């Protein structure tokens, strides 16, 4: 169940309270997010839509602990992350968040296998255990046969699938996807959304996604619209919410 | 170790740049090895100098002689264990370019005091038996192909005329950097054949029973011969050897200055290269941070890359210097025994690693402080 009124008092996986983010540009304050409230339960698939500059990516960065809010709080799986030190936040991110970016952001000098393995290098898993996890993640995204390929040897859709495998390999608490289909053709975009949908339905993953693409967003259980830093609308979409 | 693959992959990203940076370290450390060897060559005499030996020379100049009669008087000083003497000959073998030191020594005592060099009993016996005998060092023998039994002709420059010697033996050095480029022959032969300066020697070598007596004995010797026609200057062998080096100017300072400039240039050039390399990868570094790499780990990766480059280049450069220097030493005997000691090798390698790490420090700190959100926006 997704709520944006800030009145929920039950347990939630992601709880955002009165979130403000103000940037200062050329001496002027820009209110990117204003008093935003959000509650997301485990297994939810939420899509954030809105015009450019509405604060979608900023919200995602704050939820992923990549940026700090001006005020308000974010609690994920019981951890209040807004007051964590940078070091703690990095550790927390490694354990709880899987990121998928619009431009895939793979390391070009590493193979698909090595790219997916990156988050596991920070764990205490043995080499054999890491291999098993990576192979499983690549199998989930249908790229088990391309694990030794470099990003330049893969299509855009395949690169994004590797990026998804990297995001899920450490079994994070939730996935944050920033325009995951924004750089793909229709067919590849559908494939990616299919995979993300499966992660929610079959593996019970929680996904928060930013997208400009209504067709991608309609796969989400809930579509939230952001306008001028405020969540203004919640709509039930095709999936579960 | 599990991060090594990531470091290695990054080094292979721009192969030409990595190769050129490794090449910079290679050249710089090769030069370091070369300069250190030349410095050691100049200092060789001072390092090999015995702590229990004093050299007594003419106070006016080393090239002026001392009377042979001083020998017995030196022997009478309390604390003096043995006395020997030597005289610079300065002959020419075939061509003036074939320079090597030739020294006339006391046949009875020289090799008892200078035990650093090994000479076979047969060679020693032959040296004692034959008035025209000489012994040559291993590197000198190799240089000109001298063998035991060969006739060795020299043209005298201080004492003109043709001088003939018989090679009685070949001596070896006790240390890897021992100078074996010289020739020793009997002083009685020199004294008999020379037209002037008979009954004199070039310098005396005094062996002490206890090295702690060096200051006192030196003072006593110079005091005894003060105001005589042949005043003396007595100093430890180390100081004596150092005075030779000083005659050529402050070579050591020159060598150190050149080395310092080369290493500083290397630091700046490498620092710039690594800064460019890091700047190009801000997006990727941000991704690493996003997936959980800490700031320190990112710094560690960058330092590791730089140290690996420096280590490879430095190691190859030093190996190359080690390989080339023996040939150079043979070609330029006037530079002394050139040799890359294990200490020089180790120091050079550590220096290369240090420069690599220092060059990467600022770019690494920049990457450490990189804000993920800002860097991702640039991708």
């Amino acid at each position: 169940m997704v709520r944006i009124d800030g009145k929920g008092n039950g347990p939630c996986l992601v709880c955002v309270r009165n979130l403000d983010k103000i940037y200062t540009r050329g001496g002027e304050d820009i209110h990117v997010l204003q008093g935003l409230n959000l509650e997301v339960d485990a297994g939810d698939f939420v899509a954030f839509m809105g015009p450019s500059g509405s604060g979608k990516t900023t919200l995602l960065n704050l939820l992923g602990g990549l940026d700090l809010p001006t005020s308000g709080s974010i609690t994920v799986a019981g951890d209040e992350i807004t007051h964590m030190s940078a070091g703690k936040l990095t550790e927390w991110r490694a354990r709880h968040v899987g990121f998928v970016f619009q431009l895939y952001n793979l390391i070009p000098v590493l193979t698909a296998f090595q790219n997916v393995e990156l988050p596991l290098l920070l764990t205490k898993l043995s080499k054999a255990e890491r291999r098993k996890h990576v192979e499983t993640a690549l199998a989930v995204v249908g790229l088990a046969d391309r694990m030794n390929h470099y990003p330049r040897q893969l299509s855009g859709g395949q690169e994004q699938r590797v990026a998804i495998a990297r995001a899920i390999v450490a079994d994070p608490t939730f996935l944050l996807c920033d325009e995951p289909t924004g750089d793909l053709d229709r067919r590849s975009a559908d494939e990616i959304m299919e995979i993300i949908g499966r992660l929610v339905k079959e593996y019970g993953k929680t996904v928060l996604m930013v997208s400009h693409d209504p067709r991608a967003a309609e796969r989400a259980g809930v579509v939230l619209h952001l306008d001028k830093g405020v969540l203004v609308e919640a709509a039930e979409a095709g999936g579960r919410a | 170790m599990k991060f090594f693959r990531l470091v290695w992959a990054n080094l292979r990203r721009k192969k030409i740049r990595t190769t050129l940076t490794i090449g910079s370290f290679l050249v710089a450390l090769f030069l370091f090895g070369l300069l250190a060897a030349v410095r050691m060559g100049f200092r060789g005499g001072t390092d090999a100098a015995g702590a229990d030996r004093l050299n007594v020379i003419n106070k006016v100049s080393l090239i002026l002689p001392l009377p042979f009669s001083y020998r017995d008087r030196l022997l009478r000083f309390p604390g003096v264990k043995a006395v020997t003497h030597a005289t610079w000959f300065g002959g020419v073998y075939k061509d003036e370019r074939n320079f090597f030191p030739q020294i006339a020594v006391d046949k009875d005592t020289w090799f008892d005091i200078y035990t650093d060099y090994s000479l076979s009993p047969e060679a020693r016996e032959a040296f004692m038996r034959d008035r025209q005998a000489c012994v040559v060092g291993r590197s000198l023998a190799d240089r000109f192909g001298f063998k035991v039994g060969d006739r060795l002709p020299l043209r005298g420059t201080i004492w003109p005329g043709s001088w003939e010697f018989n090679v009685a033996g070949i001596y070896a050095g006790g240390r890897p950097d021992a100078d074996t480029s010289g020739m020793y022959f009997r002083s009685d032969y020199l004294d008999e054949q020379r037209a002037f300066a008979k009954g004199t020697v070039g310098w005396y070598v005094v062996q002490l029973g206890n090295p702690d007596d060096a200051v006192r004995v030196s003072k006593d010797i110079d005091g005894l011969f003060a105001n005589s026609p042949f005043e003396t200057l007595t100093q430890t062998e180390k100081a004596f050897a150092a005075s030779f080096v000083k005659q050529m100017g402050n070579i050591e300072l020159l060598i150190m200055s050149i080395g310092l400039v080369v290493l500083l240039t290397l630091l700046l050039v490498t620092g710039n290269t690594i800064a460019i390399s890091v700047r190009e990868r801000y997006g990727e570094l941000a991704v690493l941070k996003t997936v959980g790499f800490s700031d320190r780990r990112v710094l560690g990766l960058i330092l590791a890359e730089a140290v690996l480059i420096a280590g490879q280049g430095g190691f190859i450069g030093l190996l190359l210097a080690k390989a080339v220097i023996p040939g150079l030493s043979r070609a330029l005997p006037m530079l002394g025994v050139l040799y890359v000691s294990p200490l020089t090798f180790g120091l050079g390698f550590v220096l290369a690693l240090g420069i690599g790490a220092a060059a990467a420090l600022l770019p690494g700190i920049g990457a450490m402080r990189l804000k993920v959100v800002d860097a991702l926006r640039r991708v």
Side-chain angles (χ1 to χ4, degrees), chain A residues 166-205:
Chain A
R166 182 178 65 191
I168 62 171
V169 73
D171 193 22
T173 307
F174 66 120
L175 295 184
L176 296 175
C177 307
D178 191 0
E179 303 267 12
T181 60
D183 204 45
L184 299 174
D185 58 42
R186 188 72 267 157
R187 195 176 150 204
S188 300
D190 285 345
E191 284 173 4
I192 293 301
M193 288 316 302
E194 182 65 39
I195 290 169
I196 294 175
R198 268 180 41 225
L199 290 175
V200 176
K201 285 182 179 140
E202 293 177 24
Y203 297 93
K205 290 285 165 200

Side-chain angles (χ1 to χ4, degrees), chain B residues 2-15:
Chain B
K2 58 188 173 183
F3 295 100
F4 179 78
R5 206 162 43 182
L6 182 57
V7 172
W8 188 249
N10 278 324
L11 290 184
R12 295 180 57 201
R13 175 189 303 262
K14 303 257 181 184
K15 291 191 183 77

